[in-house]
Amino acid sequence: PAPRAMRPHPEGVLPVGNAYLLPPEEAAASARAKRDGLGSFASLDDALILRVLAGGDDDDDEGVGPDALACLACCSRAARAFAYHEDLWKAATLRAVGGDFRFTGGAWRRTYARCVRAMPTDADSTRCVGGGGGGRRGDAPVGGGDRSKTLFSDALYLRHLGAHLPLDPEWLPGGSLPRGA
């Protein structure tokens, strides 16, 4: 059978190396869109932006939290790509409900929204979280087909790659490891 194609990043993010394949003016337009969309945060490394949003290395820190992520997602396409990072929403889900949930949404953000809606909470605190586009349904992903607006970020793309890269079928047979008696 032919190998499956990997689905594209939901926000149109591509690895940094792909920017070198673009004509210089398109790569510059993409960098400008990222800089304009992130404002002062654009001067930080992408991995550092994710660490800031996650709360750094301290296990006791909860990061910016789901309400702030939902608001950040409304600011710009580039900000939304960071705010929708799966690891941030996974941590928010685990903090909110512990292990008492079922991952069924295809994305941690949707799982969080479904779990929080099931909890007795203030409805206003989660109003931006559930739908696509940070409250603007139908909004295009970061790239939206326009390569000048594509966000090139290894920090954002690698999580997607690890989760969606098709596995080679020969890696999947069950009897490949010797079993102890």
Side-chain angles (χ1 to χ4, degrees), residues 98-109:
D100 189 23
F101 68 94
R102 179 180 290 269
F103 180 79
T104 57
W108 280 104
R109 183 174 45 88

Side-chain angles (χ1 to χ4, degrees), residues 3 19 32-33 42 50 60 64 68 70 91 97 113 119 122 124 132 134 153 166-167 177 181:
R32 215 174 14 261
L50 289 173
D60 295 335
V64 298
V97 295
M119 294 168 54
D122 178 14
D124 286 344
S153 172
L167 293 176
L177 295 176

